[in-house]
Amino acid sequence: MRILFMGTPDFAVPSLRMLLEQGYEVVGVVTQPDRPKGRKRELTPPPVKSFALERGLPVLQPERLRTPEAVEQVAAFRPDLIVTAAYGQILPRAVLDMPRLGCINVHGSLLPKYRGGAPIQRSVINGEKVTGVTLMYMAEGLDTGDMIARVEVPITDEDTAGTMFGKLSEAGSELLREWLPRIAEGTAPRVPQEDAEATYAPNLTRQDEMIVWTGTAREVFDRVRGLNPMAGGFTYWNGEVFKVWGCRIPQGSDKMMRPEWEGLVPGSVLETGAFGIRVRTGDGSVVLTEVQPAGKKALPAAEFAKGARLAPGTVLG
């Protein structure tokens, strides 16, 4: 069985590694082009490309998979099965029809919930307690294909989007390993999705990254950890972007408000100390634990507050 693998970020690497370790014939890898990254904007290969080259696999990086040239290059691999995991482009009909065993996808949510490009981050931002991975046959619609199997993975308060990417990528790899024999035999189940139950998780925008201080403490907490370590939540301080990488909800947040804090608007700094920076929200407060002023590196919030002499009453946002 000739397998062509399509994937791009770290999330996809465990599935590719599993295929090789289990002795499957991976005939090639398709991934996104190298992109500028970091302050110096250096051209950087995606993690799947780096891993594939280490293993001596041929790599294809079309800017657009929908061009006739790219489809022809994919066909040259003569795949029996295409396995995708967070590839980052929608497969055209010509590619979907190409392999005799079809195209399957490792998706980071419990479909039909969170269809789209940012299911993991949005699950955390929305305060979900459970998410998971779905192994599915691909169709022309956005994550609409028939499901083969799903596995649930809890989200704890200690999780960030980053830790969930790690957990779900490993769970997806294991799910793929478990079901590949039946997929190869053509006996894997095909369970249609209930479209009426579908929700969507589009890619995050700049607006999604902004901390809304009028929200509840829980909403602020979930947003910050759902954006870590990708973009970070941001607010404004002294007219400049001020990123928040970590925060926590103090115990009894909504019941420990002092009378002198009642008149302060959401986003107001309430107090600072060795614990960090306590900020008012719509229903209580959160404690910022890691922040990043404009043009600086991230640092503990307590260290920043001490150096910046951040006074109570300062308004963020």
Side-chain angles (χ1 to χ4, degrees):
M1 179 172 63
R2 296 171 62 84
I3 297 178
L4 180 63
F5 187 85
M6 295 184 175
T8 299
D10 287 320
F11 177 84
V13 172
S15 290
L16 177 57
R17 179 188 295 116
M18 181 281 296
L19 291 173
L20 297 173
E21 290 178 352
Q22 293 293 312
Y24 286 102
E25 183 185 7
V26 180
V27 295
V29 168
V30 183
T31 187
Q32 296 277 32
D34 297 1
R35 304 290 189 199
K37 198 172 181 181
R39 287 189 174 185
K40 296 182 179 178
R41 308 302 292 163
E42 292 180 351
L43 209 56
T44 305
V48 163
K49 177 184 178 181
S50 300
F51 180 81
L53 292 180
E54 287 174 6
R55 301 302 178 99
L57 297 172
V59 173
L60 179 64
Q61 293 180 279
E63 188 69 46
R64 291 183 67 246
L65 192 59
R66 290 184 172 275
T67 64
E69 294 78 13
V71 172
E72 188 175 335
Q73 288 174 316
V74 171
F77 285 108
R78 296 183 289 108
D80 296 309
L81 176 71
I82 291 178
V83 176
T84 73
Y87 169 52
Q89 293 190 42
I90 295 176
L91 272 55
R93 182 83 261 169
V95 172
L96 291 173
D97 291 340
M98 197 179 290
R100 65 180 177 84
L101 294 171
C103 301
I104 60 172
N105 181 39
V106 180
H107 183 77
S109 83
L110 296 172
L111 291 173
K113 305 292 186 186
Y114 292 98
R115 292 174 176 172
I120 300 174
Q121 299 97 314
R122 291 195 182 275
S123 294
V124 178
I125 289 172
N126 290 346
E128 299 284 2
K129 300 300 181 188
V130 176
T131 183
V133 178
T134 302
L135 186 62
M136 57 177 288
Y137 283 103
M138 299 185 74
E140 280 192 284
L142 181 64
D143 300 323
T144 56
D146 292 343
M147 299 180 293
I148 300 167
R150 304 192 303 176
V151 61
E152 292 186 353
V153 178
I155 303 175
T156 71
D157 280 356
E158 285 69 44
D159 281 315
T160 63
T163 64
M164 291 309 301
F165 264 85
K167 291 180 180 180
L168 293 169
S169 65
E170 294 295 339
S173 168
E174 178 58 24
L175 198 64
L176 183 62
R177 185 197 64 76
E178 180 182 352
W179 286 92
L180 258 182
R182 290 190 60 182
I183 293 167
E185 293 170 355
T187 60
R190 301 188 72 119
V191 181
Q193 296 185 37
E194 293 288 347
D195 289 339
E197 297 177 3
T199 61
Y200 291 89
N203 291 330
L204 295 171
T205 66
R206 185 66 171 162
Q207 188 69 24
D208 292 317
E209 297 166 9
M210 187 170 70
I211 297 172
V212 181
W213 295 110
T214 53
T216 66
R218 184 78 211 186
E219 288 169 345
V220 172
F221 171 68
D222 289 338
R223 183 170 301 274
V224 168
R225 64 197 186 104
L227 294 166
N228 183 335
M230 292 76 183
F234 80 90
T235 183
Y236 292 95
W237 175 62
N238 279 347
E240 294 189 308
V241 168
F242 184 78
K243 287 203 171 188
V244 179
W245 290 101
C247 71
R248 62 179 175 83
I249 303 174
Q251 193 171 18
S253 166
D254 58 339
K255 298 174 183 174
M256 295 175 60
M257 298 296 286
R258 300 173 193 164
E260 62 267 31
W261 293 346
E262 289 301 322
L264 298 178
V265 299
S268 298
V269 173
L270 300 178
E271 61 179 343
T272 64
F275 55 85
I277 303 170
R278 186 167 178 172
V279 181
R280 174 148 194 170
T281 68
D283 72 341
S285 65
V286 294
V287 171
L288 312 188
T289 56
E290 185 178 9
V291 299
Q292 184 178 10
K296 306 289 184 182
K297 293 183 178 179
L299 75 168
E303 184 179 324
F304 167 77
K306 186 177 179 181
R309 297 181 179 176
L310 199 62
T314 300
V315 178
L316 304 177

